[in-house]
Amino acid sequence: MTLNVKALSPHIGAEIEGLDLSAPMSDEDFAVVRDAFYKHAVIVVRGHSFDDDDHIRFSSRFGELRTLKFDKYLGERRPEIFVVSNIKKDDQYIGAHDAGMFWHSDAPFIPKPHGPSALHALEVPQQDGRALGATHFASAAAAYEALPAGTKKLVDGLQAVQSLARRLELAEAIGITSATLQQSKDQEVQAVHPVVRIHPVTGQKCLYVCDGYTSEILGVPADEGKALLKELTTHVIKPEFCFTHSWRVHDLVMWDNCSSQHKATFDYQLPQRRLMHRTTLVG
Ligand code: OGA
Ligand code: MN
């Protein structure tokens, strides 16, 4: 079967139809998938069951995978698999239970942020036959493109601080505390990156500030920086730049951490279970 690429919204997201992830992918198919990924920033593959080995084989076609040797959520899994879940074992979460609480891209707070991430749904919470725990995506490239010329000129040369502490403060503000995050705050995990990142593959300009991690825009007076940050992070997530993925078991969604941002939905709780496996490329 030949592959079909179906756009899911005007600016972001495409479903690849006809791809069976349980089998190795031909070079011809990979060329189609790769083009669709860089064009649409988020690709969705659904309809066939597949396992961790298939997930790893598929995502490693895009480059080197990050391994998580010392990750506390690793358990007995492969080091390439990061677990996102609200499930508990022996009273401990088996994975990151609060991943994606705020709009973000993955790991902008390190000097070399992650490449693409690919999330595989193994258990999807349900209510009355309806899937819960959807994930929202926004196009950081389309959002940049739509900025007024004056704003583009202003932000093009600016840098911003991306910090884990920012995320911790947002979580604390809604009553959520986490030992891991407290530790990160104490260690001052942060990095400085351009407000506008040039995409390493497409050359597109992408707005690289997000509500979840960007704490400060540098090089402008503090008040002005704060207002600008608010303006930009609200702009990126305008409905016209977004689409929402409603999960089914064995969906794989791969997103670009430069040209898109994402956010999870927390509209479920145990005994409604959500279990996702993520691979992540080295940035
Ligand atoms: C992630 C993430 C969102 C979700 O895994 O990086 O943000 O909906 N996940 O699980
Ligand atoms: Mn994420």
Side-chain angles (χ1 to χ4, degrees):
M1 187 175 165
T2 52
L3 301 185
N4 182 43
V5 177
K6 187 176 86 183
L8 297 171
S9 82
H11 293 298
I12 181 166
E15 181 173 347
I16 317 270
E17 295 171 322
L19 184 65
D20 180 355
L21 295 173
S22 69
M25 185 169 40
S26 68
D27 290 345
E28 292 76 16
D29 281 357
F30 179 58
V32 173
V33 171
R34 187 181 182 280
D35 284 356
F37 178 66
Y38 288 116
K39 180 170 176 204
H40 298 276
V42 178
I43 50 170
V44 176
V45 182
R46 60 199 335 189
H48 297 275
S49 80
F50 64 98
D51 62 18
D52 285 347
D53 287 337
D54 300 324
H55 185 179
I56 290 166
R57 185 184 59 238
F58 172 80
S59 29
S60 56
R61 291 294 288 269
F62 286 83
E64 186 191 343
L65 294 185
R66 198 169 160 257
T67 53
L68 306 155
K69 286 195 195 62
F70 308 108
D71 196 276
K72 76 175 181 113
Y73 299 130
L74 187 55
E76 285 130 48
R77 302 207 170 275
R78 310 252 328 238
E80 296 90 345
I81 301 286
F82 177 75
V83 178
V84 175
S85 186
N86 72 331
I87 300 170
K88 285 181 171 176
K89 195 176 157 194
D90 303 330
D91 221 34
Q92 299 267 10
Y93 287 109
I94 62 166
H97 64 284
D98 55 359
M101 192 160 286
F102 308 100
W103 278 101
H104 70 290
S105 62
D106 294 334
F109 46 80
I110 57 175
K112 275 178 73 176
H114 302 342
S117 304
L119 200 61
H120 172 200
L122 290 119
E123 293 189 52
V124 177
Q126 302 276 334
Q127 186 162 316
D128 306 325
R130 197 168 57 88
L132 303 173
T135 309
H136 305 294
F137 294 93
S139 171
Y144 173 83
E145 203 42 53
L147 285 174
T151 312
K152 282 183 180 162
K153 208 167 154 203
L154 170 67
V155 297
D156 267 341
L158 294 176
Q159 307 250 324
V161 180
Q162 310 281 352
S163 96
L164 258 181
R166 158 82 187 164
R167 189 195 183 286
L168 176 61
E169 277 155 24
L170 289 175
E172 277 173 351
I174 55 170
I176 295 162
T177 50
S178 144
T180 329
L181 283 171
Q182 185 57 51
Q183 206 181 3
S184 329
K185 190 180 186 185
D186 296 344
Q187 290 166 356
E188 290 187 23
V189 180
Q190 61 175 53
V192 173
H193 292 292
V195 168
V196 181
R197 249 181 95 184
I198 309 291
H199 193 284
V201 174
T202 65
Q204 279 172 308
K205 288 183 168 182
C206 306
L207 261 186
Y208 199 60
V209 287
C210 63
D211 182 43
Y213 291 124
T214 315
S215 56
E216 192 186 350
I217 292 184
L218 303 171
V220 287
D223 279 4
E224 212 179 294
K226 218 171 160 182
L228 181 60
L229 183 56
K230 183 87 197 152
E231 182 189 327
L232 296 174
T233 54
T234 329
H235 173 75
V236 178
I237 60 167
K238 283 181 183 156
E240 62 262 41
F241 309 128
C242 292
F243 95 102
T244 298
H245 182 70
S246 178
W247 295 91
R248 280 192 237 143
V249 172
H250 290 312
D251 283 354
L252 181 98
V253 177
M254 184 167 177
W255 61 83
D256 188 310
N257 280 307
C258 180
S259 57
S260 72
Q261 298 185 9
H262 56 282
K263 181 182 178 294
T265 311
F266 294 88
D267 54 357
Y268 58 92
Q269 53 190 343
L270 290 172
Q272 294 163 323
R273 289 158 57 109
R274 190 173 190 266
L275 174 61
M276 320 291 270
H277 282 182
R278 194 183 89 190
T279 55
T280 314
L281 278 98
V282 172

